């Protein structure tokens, strides 16, 4: 599926919109969120998304999208009977995604689901800890980008014991202009170009600096904008 900038922004904004609600229930964790019936579920782990600690589970099930949504609507509606001041959930469609969200104490809980290419249902369960909001990491402001680029996402995680960061930008320049910009300018910040490859509407570049690997994917989105995804991973001694 082609990356759509508007859908990305809308999903993230909607996932966080339940912050406006308040609640007085006990501490909440992603393991407190029920899995969809008869589903295969993988705990992805915890990342920091745009300064917000976020836990994530990925699921797939032969149940329909409607059945998954009904499952959560029923559970969340039953719980909300005892909290008259808090909506049971909010619902929205973002492209092909169906999104439900609610608030638990200082946690934002989101379930998003869509029909997969195989005809089954796939989706994510996300719990964001609003109380632990942190300042953006240094890469969000220091990583090179063409003037006018906008930062869509800034994700921090631990990859096999190594720090890892993923930055997503978009701008109005072509794939080739962005490719040439990174080939010509990364060295000014100490990055050494290692290699690159190119396919239709996509360019991949690899760099190294001190103890860091960086790969940059530049691709044309289906709305005409260009997406830049930079993955930075800290190297260990054996890298």
């Amino acid at each position: 599926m082609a990356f759509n900038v508007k859908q990305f922004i809308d999903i993230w904004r909607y996932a966080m919109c339940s912050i406006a609600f308040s609640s007085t229930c006990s501490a909440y964790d992603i393991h407190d969120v029920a899995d969809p019936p008869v589903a295969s579920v993988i705990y992805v782990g915890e990342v920091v998304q745009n300064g917000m600690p976020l836990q994530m589970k990925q699921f797939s099930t032969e149940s329909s999208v409607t059945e998954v949504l009904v499952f959560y609507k029923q559970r969340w509606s039953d719980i909300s009977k005892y909290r008259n001041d808090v909506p049971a959930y909010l619902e929205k469609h973002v492209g092909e995604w169906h999104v439900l969200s609610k608030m638990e104490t200082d946690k934002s809980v989101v379930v998003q689901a869509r029909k997969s290419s195989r005809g089954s249902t796939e989706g994510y369960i996300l719990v964001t800890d609003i109380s632990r909001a942190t300042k953006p990491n240094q890469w969000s402001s220091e990583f090179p980008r063409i003037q006018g680029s906008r930062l869509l996402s800034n994700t921090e995680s631990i990859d096999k014991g190594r720090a890892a960061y993923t930055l997503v930008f978009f701008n109005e320049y072509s794939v080739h202009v962005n490719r040439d910009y990174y080939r010509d300018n990364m060295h000014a910040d100490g990055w050494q170009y290692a290699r690159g490859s190119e396919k239709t509407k996509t360019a991949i570049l690899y760099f190294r600096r001190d103890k860091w690997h960086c790969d940059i994917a530049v691709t044309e989105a289906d709305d005409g904008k260009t997406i830049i995804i930079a993955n930075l991973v800290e190297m260990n001694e054996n890298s």
Side-chain angles (χ1 to χ4, degrees):
M1 182 186 67
F3 191 99
N4 182 284
V5 172
K6 185 177 185 303
Q7 289 184 19
F8 186 96
I9 296 173
D10 286 347
I11 286 177
W12 173 249
R13 285 177 176 170
Y14 190 75
M16 300 308 299
C17 71
S18 58
I19 292 175
F21 303 147
S22 60
S23 177
T24 56
C25 56
S26 58
Y28 204 82
D29 183 83
I30 194 167
H31 301 295
D32 297 320
V33 184
D35 297 332
V38 198
S40 174
V41 181
I42 299 173
Y43 177 65
V44 178
E46 179 173 321
V47 301
V48 177
Q49 176 70 27
N50 294 351
M52 295 284 191
L54 180 152
Q55 292 179 293
M56 180 186 303
K57 290 194 288 187
Q58 183 177 11
F59 66 84
S60 61
T61 175
E62 295 303 318
S63 300
S64 68
V65 172
T66 298
E67 290 171 330
V68 171
L69 296 178
V70 167
F71 171 77
Y72 286 103
K73 288 178 181 179
Q74 182 61 57
R75 291 182 65 89
W76 292 356
S77 294
D78 289 345
I79 295 172
S80 70
K81 291 177 182 178
Y82 305 98
R83 291 180 284 159
N84 296 328
D85 60 329
V86 179
Y89 55 82
L90 293 178
E91 180 176 10
K92 187 177 182 181
H93 293 171
V94 182
E96 58 189 352
W97 289 98
H98 299 256
V99 185
L100 295 177
S101 70
K102 68 167 183 169
M103 194 69 185
E104 291 286 347
T105 314
D106 49 9
K107 308 293 195 303
S108 170
V109 185
V110 175
V111 174
Q112 57 188 66
R114 69 178 179 185
K115 185 176 180 179
S116 72
S117 58
R118 298 183 295 103
S120 57
T121 297
E122 61 185 7
Y124 297 91
I125 300 168
L126 306 98
V127 174
T128 304
D129 190 342
I130 301 160
S131 68
R132 292 171 54 202
T134 61
K135 294 181 179 180
N137 62 67
Q138 69 181 79
W139 298 117
S140 65
S141 59
E142 297 179 7
F143 193 80
R145 72 209 71 175
I146 294 179
Q147 186 174 3
S149 299
R150 291 182 57 188
L151 179 65
L152 288 175
S153 175
N154 174 18
T155 304
E156 307 172 40
S157 62
I158 300 297
D159 180 15
K160 298 179 181 179
R162 301 174 297 175
Y165 302 87
T166 300
L167 305 173
V168 183
F169 305 95
F170 80 92
N171 60 43
E172 306 288 341
Y173 298 96
S174 69
V175 170
H176 287 171
V177 169
N178 278 279
R179 176 204 62 192
D180 291 345
Y181 170 83
Y182 284 103
R183 280 289 305 268
D184 297 341
N185 290 278
M186 288 286 281
H187 66 85
D189 286 340
W191 292 97
Q192 300 298 316
Y193 178 72
R195 64 187 188 279
S197 62
E198 202 160 341
K199 298 180 180 179
T200 304
K201 298 183 179 181
T202 301
I204 309 293
L205 304 97
Y206 299 89
F207 298 87
R208 295 185 66 156
R209 188 183 88 174
D210 300 328
K211 62 177 183 176
W212 292 94
H213 281 303
C214 176
D215 61 83
I216 300 175
V218 183
T219 186
E220 183 179 318
D222 58 0
D223 57 4
K225 294 181 175 61
T226 296
I227 303 298
I228 302 94
I229 303 174
N231 292 301
L232 301 100
V233 180
E234 188 177 26
M235 295 183 286
N236 57 33
E237 295 180 355
N238 298 320
S239 297

